Amino acid sequence: MARKKTIDPEKADEITIETLAKLAKGIHQSITRGRYPELISPVRSLQNVKEFRKRVGYLEIGEKIKTRTLSVNTVKTFAQTLKMMSLSKDLVETNDFATKRDAYYQSKNWGPAAFKDQPESDTVMDDIEAMVSRYGLGREHLRYIPDEHGGSVAGALKVHDKDLETGEPEVIDCTRFGSGAYSIPSWVEHLDFETDADFVLCIETAGMFQRLQSHKFWRKYNCILVSLGGVPSRACRRFVRRLSEQAKIPVYAFVDCDPYGVANIYRSLKVGSGNAAHVNHLFCVPQARFLGVTPKDIVDYKLPTHPLKDRDIKRANDALSNDPFFQAHPKWQNEIQRLLDMGVRAEQQALARWGLNYVIDEYLPAKLKKTGSFLP
Amino acid sequence: MDQQGRLGLIETGEDGSAPPAADANDSPPVPVETIPPELGERANDSQPPVAVETANPPPKRRASARSMGGKHRAISISEFFTKNRHLLGFDNPAKALLTTVREAVDNALDACEEAGILPNITVEIDPVTGYDDRYTVLVRDNGPGIIKAQIGKVFGKLLYGSKFHRLKQSRGQQGIGISAAGMYGQITTGRPVTVISRTGKRRPTHRMVLQIDTRRNEPKYLSEEQLEEWDWEHGTEIILTIAATFKGGRHSVDEYMRQTAMSNPHAHIVYRNPRGVDHVYERQVHELPKEPEEIQPHPHGIELGMLMRMLRETKRRNLTDFLKEEFCRVSQRNAEEIITGTAKRVPDRQRNQMLRRNPKAMERHEVEALFKVLGETKLHSPPTNCLSPIGHEDIRTGLFALFDPGEHDPSEFFVTGETRKPAVYRGNPFQVEVGLVYGKGLEGDNAAEVYRFANRVPLQYQAGACAITKAVQSLNWRQYNLTQPRGGFPVAPMVVSVHISSAWVPYTSESKEAIAHYPEILSELRLALQVCARRLQRHIRRQRKQRDAEKRKQYLEKYLDPISEALQEILGFNDQEKARVSVQLTELIDPQEEEAEPEDEAEVDEMVGRPIRHVEVVPEDQATTDDGSRETTSDSIVSPEGAEEVAQATLGLELPEGAED
């Protein structure tokens, strides 16, 4: 099976419909041949994540699969899964989309198969996503979009969108938002990008993003600024991924120097998460590199620090012992160990110690001169 | 009748002197002494009876041996009773009423059955005008009647009866009951007992009013007359006036009548309680129970005192014949073996001498040796034709008299019954039967109701002391899918009735309220309960399975349609194909997997590991139905169609005639 091949955005809808039909056909055939139909999906847990391969660039889902066979106990979920697939087909065909909540309310038309509450519909949706992930598709391809969006963009970028109603192309110039920014939509599969920027700078905090945008940092350094807003949302990750892939430009991450910034925000952005490994191939940015703040910066820039909290230490140790990404990168292991040894953390805004715009005038320019030394 | 023994006045000596019954006008010549074993000791220790009047010059100094000797005298059982009436079930006014009715009804039923008459019993309890604590109790039967000469003795003399000195299943055992009731009435109200009896169509009807001379244990006639007319061709009526209280509840007379009707489906019973409520329990079975045979004592069941008495009384000339003829299950070979064994323990007698020994001449140490050997010799179990169980079909039928199905169709209940094969405790054959009804019409949050019967007599008091209660409690009902508090009755919508029949039921006391805990009896009780519980468990499982299957089907139907619908939406096939998918889905997911449980597989008993014969002709859950003509004032027992034939067939199968050698 051609697993996880990159989906051509032009053909995404076609492939989605085909995949849905293929799955439905398999079930139909089982039934007419008197066999118990089965739904197959990969096991979604950190235990089913493969060893990290740099060549692949993201955390891959393992081989373990879960088979749900039609029986008295599964018949309800089975019915709901198929109805959700049917709804998805409908959404693609009408070029529409539905949030989880929308889907939940849609199910109220399904008679006995209606969902009782949203957790029930969420579970079924996750199952379907896992099923189609084997064919390289994600939930967004099925037109089930997340409720959360998140992520703002500013800088040397024009986004090509489409008017859903009229089909008219719309071009959004991300240089023209004043002190505001372009907000990444929940659903980014249909977007195209036009840019001559040299790199993408992903920033953890909204405050830092605002400073760089207000002072038009991107103009001087010809780049695109993205605000991650903590752990980046699926849409945000997918946006950065598609942008960097289309424009073939590097992505630099600028986050706090603490286990959360490294092990959660940066790791998720770059290689995806352990629990949703079945969609990591879509939601990873393998090109991303770690600009800072590094433990060494704390020393070099004499940054004000806070002591590591218990949960920071736990998180750091977890990363060292369980995370396939860090296990594959000795440099990262050293850095994390160093952080643990120092017993402190520093936020990116700590640079303000040397003046509010020190980061723009000194820190970032210095860093950008040595991109080769960025952590992987 | 003669040799069945009678009379219970204390006597003395070995010479068989007649008791000092004053004038024996109306009493036939009294045969040799017969002492109930438990009174034997006392009797032997006491002096010959002395005239009471001369016995008490008030001594002013310490008594001399002579004067003390003068104070020793026989205690008449009647006097003993007046002081110890609680032993016989007259401890309080409510219980006294029940005991009185019970003794009279038991006698009536026994008499009818022994004479081969289908019993018609009338019981009426009326308050005595002017008193709120006195009642007259009238019990009338259509039995054989009592000849005039016996009437006084039967009703006016304690320990006079036909049942004590024989081994045969009957309700009464000691000949103490009805006359005790008469005496109780006499003590508490001063009223005499009235008896009306007629022995046949062409015979006169006698009406006698009598009292008991409590000192001498003799009847005293106040009046006697011949009635011109009496409704019944034969039968007996007794009217007593006693101090009593009428109460409802588990210990009530109402309850006794109801349970009696249940355990005697062959009787027609009309009962009016003091509140004027009439109950008619119609005859459900039109054949008498199999008549129990009278048997001889089994050597393993006797006690030393009884052996001594038998040796004294026997007409046999030598010990060998004595053993062969006076006991059951002793063959020539057995007898010789016993005697050989006895001779070994008696150094001064040769075996041959012993074989020809005159039983009457045996000395004490010889008797003791014989007694010991009797207990040790291996013998066949006693014959079991002395038993007459209710039969598990009838016990099932009768169960419906024990509770009111209310608005529920009796067929909704699960009913089962089990009659065990006869077994033996201490040389006495006995048989256990259990009936069980279970259903949602009964109260489910309460402990199961347990009804106890011995020789068809309901046991209403002292449940806690009874072997039946213990057996029910000690069974692990949880194993059979019921809930059960530790050491208690199972909590279930269930009624259990347990019947023990025996030629000699081992009651814990003379008031016949509880059965003693003999291990053999407990074991049989548990086995019978287990059989019923196992069937109940199957029923509960089947019910659950049905419920589950029903739920499952509804559930499936709910969701199979959306599946085929969704497939149609995605694949775009036509409605015909959709229908086909629906059908195939149904077949796929819900194949008719009714793995019919084998109903009549041989059950292997858990405790003894031998197969139980399990005769079940009518499907268990086809409970009995009632014709719907229930009257408000009458409780009727429902009868299953064909139950009689089934009962016959079953009885024949489960109770092979005679012994099981």
Side-chain angles (χ1 to χ4, degrees):
Chain A
M1 183 177 55
R3 284 183 62 187
K4 288 162 199 167
K5 67 179 177 200
T6 315
I7 302 288
D8 182 349
E10 296 297 315
K11 293 183 180 165
D13 288 347
E14 212 177 302
I15 293 168
T16 305
I17 301 267
E18 271 172 26
T19 306
L20 290 173
K22 191 156 44 174
L23 290 168
K25 200 156 202 150
I27 290 165
H28 181 230
Q29 274 179 1
S30 291
I31 294 169
T32 51
R33 288 176 191 170
R35 287 199 305 262
Y36 290 97
E38 289 175 344
L39 297 174
I40 296 165
S41 57
V43 172
R44 283 169 287 148
S45 76
L46 197 57
Q47 275 71 47
N48 192 27
V49 173
K50 285 189 197 168
E51 205 174 305
F52 183 75
R53 293 184 292 173
K54 284 178 193 162
R55 188 171 54 78
V56 175
Y58 58 88
L59 294 180
E60 293 170 281
I61 188 86
E63 304 295 338
K64 287 185 209 155
I65 55 162
K66 184 174 79 174
T67 305
R68 174 173 288 158
T69 308
L70 181 63
S71 73
V72 177
N73 294 329
T74 62
V75 64
K76 186 179 183 188
T77 326
F78 225 89
Q80 290 171 333
T81 306
L82 284 168
K83 286 301 282 182
M84 282 285 265
M85 284 164 63
S86 165
L87 176 60
S88 168
K89 184 192 174 223
D90 201 41
L91 290 171
V92 175
E93 280 171 355
T94 57
N95 197 21
D96 212 332
F97 59 88
T99 63
K100 282 180 169 183
R101 196 82 185 145
D102 287 336
Y104 161 69
Y105 283 119
Q106 276 277 306
S107 82
K108 297 294 177 188
N109 290 325
W110 301 347
F115 294 115
K116 269 203 197 68
D117 46 30
Q118 206 184 328
E120 200 182 24
S121 69
D122 289 356
T123 311
V124 168
M125 191 174 293
D126 291 346
D127 285 346
I128 294 179
E129 176 168 49
M131 271 164 59
V132 298
S133 73
R134 306 179 78 224
Y135 302 92
L137 297 171
R139 177 198 298 169
E140 288 76 4
H141 294 110
L142 299 171
R143 306 293 182 115
Y144 289 125
I145 62 165
D147 288 328
E148 35 124 49
H149 56 102
S152 308
V153 180
L157 171 68
K158 286 195 174 98
V159 178
H160 291 245
D161 204 341
K162 241 182 235 165
D163 186 321
L164 196 65
E165 287 297 308
T166 62
E168 289 289 310
E170 287 177 309
V171 179
I172 298 137
D173 185 348
C174 295
T175 60
R176 304 180 64 81
F177 279 91
S179 50
Y182 170 62
S183 171
I184 299 172
S186 300
W187 176 33
V188 301
E189 290 307 317
H190 58 294
L191 300 180
D192 275 324
F193 305 104
E194 180 189 340
T195 182
D196 60 353
D198 294 330
F199 61 93
V200 180
L201 184 62
C202 295
I203 300 144
E204 174 178 343
T205 61
M208 183 58 76
F209 174 83
Q210 188 63 56
R211 175 161 300 282
L212 299 187
Q213 157 68 339
S214 295
H215 292 277
K216 304 300 174 197
F217 178 79
W218 47 267
R219 194 183 290 148
K220 197 167 169 190
Y221 288 91
N222 190 31
C223 66
I224 303 164
L225 303 176
V226 175
S227 165
L228 300 175
V231 173
S233 69
R234 288 166 66 110
C236 183
R237 280 150 65 190
R238 185 71 182 145
F239 182 89
V240 176
R241 161 75 180 279
R242 295 197 60 234
L243 168 62
S244 66
E245 228 168 47
Q246 250 184 44
K248 296 190 173 55
I249 48 174
V251 175
Y252 303 133
F254 179 30
V255 300
D256 289 347
C257 182
D258 62 12
Y260 187 72
V262 172
N264 289 58
I265 299 176
Y266 176 67
R267 202 281 317 265
S268 293
L269 176 72
K270 183 176 169 84
V271 297
S273 75
N275 286 331
H278 58 292
V279 286
N280 280 349
H281 61 286
L282 299 171
F283 299 102
C284 61
V285 188
Q287 309 84 318
R289 310 274 285 172
F290 192 86
L291 177 147
V293 176
T294 65
K296 188 167 176 286
D297 291 341
I298 294 179
V299 180
D300 292 352
Y301 293 91
K302 297 192 178 70
L303 296 181
T305 59
H306 295 89
L308 287 175
K309 291 179 183 163
D310 285 351
R311 62 164 185 267
D312 291 323
I313 295 167
K314 184 177 178 297
R315 196 172 272 142
N317 284 324
D318 255 10
L320 287 176
S321 54
N322 292 328
D323 196 308
F325 172 71
F326 296 111
Q327 280 171 344
H329 292 90
K331 270 190 187 169
W332 266 120
Q333 288 177 33
N334 291 339
E335 288 301 317
I336 293 173
Q337 193 54 56
R338 187 168 173 185
L339 192 64
L340 278 172
D341 293 344
M342 289 161 67
V344 293
R345 61 192 178 87
E347 294 173 359
Q348 52 185 190
Q349 278 158 310
L351 290 161
R353 171 195 182 160
W354 306 110
L356 288 173
N357 290 323
Y358 180 80
V359 63
I360 297 171
D361 302 335
E362 303 289 335
Y363 179 78
L364 285 175
K367 281 275 172 182
L368 289 168
K369 275 180 196 149
K370 303 186 283 181
T371 53
S373 70
F374 287 176
L375 282 163
Chain B
M1 187 93 181
D2 263 359
Q3 112 236 47
Q4 282 172 8
R6 47 179 48 117
L7 155 85
L9 190 61
I10 309 314
E11 52 63 57
T12 66
E14 301 201 359
D15 56 355
S17 68
D23 48 56
N25 268 353
D26 49 353
S27 58
V30 177
V32 285
E33 76 292 345
T34 52
I35 312 163
E38 64 270 25
L39 294 173
E41 287 297 309
R42 192 200 310 272
N44 286 335
D45 290 347
S46 66
Q47 296 298 307
V50 175
V52 176
E53 308 81 52
T54 64
N56 52 352
K60 295 203 166 165
R61 56 175 180 83
R62 308 269 322 217
S64 68
R66 189 182 163 78
S67 67
M68 279 175 75
K71 278 193 284 184
H72 287 255
R73 64 177 177 91
I75 300 154
S76 116
I77 188 69
S78 324
E79 282 184 301
F80 178 79
F81 167 73
T82 58
K83 287 188 174 163
N84 293 290
R85 63 198 201 197
H86 56 278
L87 292 181
L88 297 172
F90 295 91
D91 11 4
N92 63 60
K95 199 168 168 186
L97 183 64
L98 173 66
T99 305
T100 302
V101 172
R102 187 167 102 158
E103 295 295 350
V105 171
D106 287 354
N107 282 356
L109 287 167
D110 275 345
C112 290
E113 279 167 29
E114 200 166 338
I117 300 162
L118 278 170
N120 283 331
I121 311 281
T122 302
V123 178
E124 287 172 18
I125 306 174
D126 291 302
V128 176
T129 3
Y131 296 91
D132 56 2
D133 61 345
R134 284 191 189 181
Y135 293 90
T136 58
V137 174
L138 178 153
V139 177
R140 183 166 53 228
D141 64 63
N142 63 338
I146 304 167
I147 55 170
K148 188 185 168 205
Q150 294 286 343
I151 291 177
K153 295 239 159 105
V154 170
F155 296 101
K157 191 173 168 83
L158 267 74
L159 288 176
Y160 185 92
S162 56
K163 298 166 192 169
F164 184 77
H165 299 287
R166 61 177 195 185
L167 280 172
K168 178 177 175 180
Q169 178 184 337
S170 59
R171 293 170 182 79
Q173 285 187 170
Q174 285 134 323
I176 204 168
I178 192 61
S179 32
M183 185 178 303
Y184 170 79
Q186 188 175 320
I187 292 165
T188 55
T189 70
R191 300 284 191 88
V193 177
T194 304
V195 180
I196 301 168
S197 192
R198 186 181 185 185
T199 54
K201 202 171 181 179
R202 307 237 170 89
R203 313 305 299 265
T205 306
H206 294 283
R207 181 176 186 277
M208 299 184 133
V209 179
L210 52 96
Q211 272 188 337
I212 302 160
D213 181 334
T214 53
R215 285 258 169 92
R216 296 187 305 156
N217 190 21
E218 284 296 320
K220 196 161 99 192
Y221 298 97
L222 301 183
S223 76
E224 56 177 279
E225 58 180 313
Q226 275 194 22
L227 295 185
E228 292 305 314
E229 262 185 61
W230 202 51
D231 289 348
W232 298 26
E233 281 179 16
H234 48 81
T236 305
E237 177 177 313
I238 175 169
I239 303 161
L240 307 104
T241 304
I242 57 169
T245 322
F246 181 78
K247 280 186 177 159
R250 272 213 96 144
H251 296 158
S252 66
V253 180
D254 286 2
E255 188 64 28
Y256 164 77
M257 296 308 304
R258 197 166 70 93
Q259 294 186 27
T260 299
M262 183 262 145
S263 57
N264 296 277
H266 60 285
H268 180 97
I269 300 174
V270 179
Y271 161 57
R272 188 200 305 151
N273 75 13
R275 292 173 185 145
V277 181
D278 283 322
H279 299 267
V280 178
Y281 299 97
E282 278 165 27
R283 198 186 322 285
Q284 300 301 313
V285 178
H286 294 268
E287 268 170 61
L288 279 168
K290 187 192 76 159
E291 198 192 346
E293 300 286 326
E294 185 175 341
I295 58 165
Q296 287 165 313
H298 190 275
H300 290 170
I302 60 160
E303 279 161 3
L304 184 58
M306 184 169 167
L307 178 62
M308 290 168 90
R309 181 174 62 79
M310 287 171 71
L311 286 164
R312 271 200 312 268
E313 289 172 10
T314 184
K315 294 192 177 95
R316 311 293 158 194
R317 299 279 178 75
N318 64 62
L319 192 54
T320 317
D321 286 351
F322 167 77
L323 289 172
K324 272 162 60 188
E325 306 300 332
E326 301 279 345
F327 288 101
C328 65
R329 295 301 195 232
V330 179
S331 64
Q332 177 73 31
R333 239 184 61 211
N334 293 142
E336 284 172 17
E337 189 191 333
I338 291 166
I339 291 168
T340 310
T342 311
K344 277 186 197 152
R345 288 168 182 264
V346 183
D348 51 333
R349 299 262 179 238
Q350 296 300 310
R351 175 177 176 273
N352 286 344
Q353 232 182 330
M354 208 62 166
L355 285 170
R356 278 175 281 112
R357 189 110 174 86
N358 177 3
K360 289 195 202 311
M362 283 181 74
E363 288 168 32
R364 194 176 175 91
H365 70 282
E366 292 173 85
V367 179
E368 278 179 16
L370 173 64
F371 177 71
K372 201 141 192 187
V373 175
L374 277 178
E376 289 166 1
T377 310
K378 276 197 172 177
L379 296 165
H380 284 301
S381 295
T384 54
N385 52 2
C386 58
L387 299 174
S388 172
I390 299 175
H392 71 240
E393 279 303 327
D394 286 349
I395 212 170
R396 281 165 51 172
T397 310
L399 277 168
F400 279 94
L402 290 179
F403 76 98
D404 179 9
E407 300 153 21
H408 292 269
D409 182 349
S411 67
E412 287 171 30
F413 296 98
F414 169 79
V415 190
T416 186
E418 174 72 10
T419 302
R420 294 279 307 164
K421 282 196 292 191
V424 176
Y425 79 91
R426 265 195 39 205
N428 293 306
F430 72 98
Q431 192 163 9
V432 166
E433 298 171 277
V434 171
L436 183 153
V437 66
Y438 173 96
K440 53 179 180 268
L442 298 164
E443 284 198 48
D445 299 338
N446 295 348
E449 286 186 67
V450 177
Y451 294 93
R452 302 172 289 135
F453 299 91
N455 286 351
R456 295 175 185 258
V457 179
L459 307 179
Q460 288 167 271
Y461 279 90
Q462 296 214 7
C466 186
I468 291 175
T469 308
K470 184 171 181 212
V472 176
Q473 287 171 340
S474 69
L475 200 66
N476 181 6
W477 293 87
R478 285 180 215 143
Q479 198 179 322
Y480 304 104
N481 301 28
L482 297 179
T483 48
Q484 179 186 27
R486 188 166 291 281
F489 282 173
V491 174
M494 184 164 86
V495 175
V496 182
S497 74
V498 182
H499 180 224
I500 295 180
S501 42
S502 176
W504 187 263
V505 178
Y507 293 110
T508 54
S509 77
E510 288 71 26
S511 52
K512 300 197 267 190
E513 288 159 346
I515 292 164
H517 294 45
Y518 281 99
E520 296 87 349
I521 292 178
L522 276 171
S523 156
E524 281 296 311
L525 284 167
R526 287 171 55 89
L527 288 173
L529 286 165
Q530 277 168 351
V531 171
C532 291
R534 228 171 359 246
R535 292 189 199 136
L536 173 61
Q537 181 187 33
R538 269 213 303 273
H539 168 76
I540 293 174
R541 281 198 186 144
R542 209 180 302 136
Q543 241 186 1
R544 263 186 210 165
K545 221 168 145 184
Q546 264 175 17
R547 231 184 0 245
D548 288 353
E550 193 57 35
K551 245 177 157 170
R552 191 177 137 119
K553 206 176 160 202
Q554 286 173 359
Y555 186 79
L556 288 176
E557 278 168 4
K558 239 161 83 176
Y559 297 114
L560 289 182
D561 204 44
I563 291 181
S564 46
E565 188 182 278
L567 286 175
Q568 184 188 33
E569 284 160 6
I570 299 171
L571 297 174
F573 47 65
N574 58 25
D575 287 353
Q576 205 185 332
E577 179 63 14
K578 185 190 160 197
R580 193 167 79 100
V581 170
S582 282
V583 171
Q584 271 163 332
L585 266 175
T586 316
E587 276 172 16
L588 196 62
I589 202 165
D590 195 25
Q592 300 305 310
E593 48 177 313
E594 294 301 312
E595 8 166 322
E597 271 183 74
E599 282 298 311
D600 37 17
E601 60 186 1
E603 290 177 50
V604 175
D605 194 288
E606 297 154 17
M607 279 181 77
V608 289
R610 66 188 146 90
I612 297 173
R613 192 160 17 187
H614 172 190
V615 185
E616 202 69 48
V617 187
V618 176
E620 284 161 4
D621 32 11
Q622 252 176 38
T624 55
T625 31
D626 139 355
D627 59 3
S629 64
R630 184 181 292 272
E631 293 166 20
T632 42
T633 53
S634 81
D635 295 334
S636 59
I637 307 171
V638 285
S639 159
E641 283 176 20
E644 275 177 64
E645 294 98 85
V646 175
Q648 291 298 312
T650 321
L651 281 175
L653 270 168
E654 298 229 322
L655 266 184
E657 279 297 312
E660 337 149 13
D661 287 358

